[in-house]
Amino acid sequence: MPKKIKWSTLMLAQLALLTAFCVIGRLLTQPIPNVQPVTAILFLVTLYMGVLPAMIVGGLSIVITNLYLGMGIWTIAQIITFCLLCILVAGINCLIPLKNHTGIMLIISFVSGLLYGFLISILLAPFWGVKSFWPYYFSGLPFDFMHGVGNACFYLLFSFPISSILTKRFLK
């Protein structure tokens, strides 16, 4: 049974700041194809705050950044895919407590880049009129690989500072 979320001013402020961090991170890394910090941040939010807060941060981040980068049917596919990835991480976290397993999270972060591309391709192929799915999907695989590498790097980079903030362990 999922834990009940206690909405507090601190939690709302954290969600707002994490959303802003995702937006700024995505906009700053936009010139690098498929490399952005959103997935890593959403995984940390999932582990430390829960799935619903992660979905809120993910949905808001995608909508806000797509106002700058371009809004379209892909916005809905991106939100759905990020939600599915957060649910997947939460499910794995029920089996293996992931907060203390950085190596496993790095693998999950990398694989999620590949899975993200696959899910986006499945969701968007019908809208683009794609007749042959597999060539369409495989043509995007190098970008999905870059997404996975970026996810793992950003997870490694942000895991300590974000987990410290979300567990209120501030450095003195």
Side-chain angles (χ1 to χ4, degrees), residues 88-136:
L88 177 67
V89 167
I92 295 170
N93 190 46
C94 289
L95 301 172
I96 306 166
L98 295 171
K99 290 180 187 175
N100 300 322
H101 291 88
T102 305
I104 294 172
M105 275 310 299
L106 290 175
I107 293 167
I108 291 170
S109 295
F110 173 76
V111 171
S112 71
L114 302 174
L115 186 56
Y116 178 90
F118 182 72
L119 293 171
I120 286 286
S121 296
I122 286 175
L123 291 170
L124 292 179
F127 291 99
W128 307 142
V130 172
K131 302 283 188 234
S132 299
F133 174 76
W134 292 110
Y136 168 72

Side-chain angles (χ1 to χ4, degrees), residues 17-128:
L17 289 171
L18 288 163
T19 301
F21 192 50
C22 285
V23 169
I24 297 300
R26 189 166 182 233
L27 292 175
L28 287 176
T29 58
Q30 186 264 334
I32 308 167
N34 277 23
V35 175
Q36 40 79 23
V38 177
T39 310
I41 295 167
L42 292 182
F43 286 174
L44 289 163
V45 173
T46 300
L47 294 177
Y48 288 92
M49 298 178 86
V51 176
L52 183 60
M55 289 180 179
I56 291 169
V57 170
L60 287 172
S61 300
I62 294 303
V63 168
I64 293 168
T65 54
N66 283 2
L67 289 172
Y68 293 100
L69 302 175
M71 190 76 70
I73 192 68
W74 54 86
T75 302
I76 296 167
Q78 289 171 320
I79 292 170
I80 290 169
T81 302
F82 276 128
C83 288
L84 291 173
L85 290 176
C86 290
I87 291 168
L88 177 67
V89 167
I92 295 170
N93 190 46
C94 289
L95 301 172
I96 306 166
L98 295 171
K99 290 180 187 175
N100 300 322
H101 291 88
T102 305
I104 294 172
M105 275 310 299
L106 290 175
I107 293 167
I108 291 170
S109 295
F110 173 76
V111 171
S112 71
L114 302 174
L115 186 56
Y116 178 90
F118 182 72
L119 293 171
I120 286 286
S121 296
I122 286 175
L123 291 170
L124 292 179
F127 291 99
W128 307 142

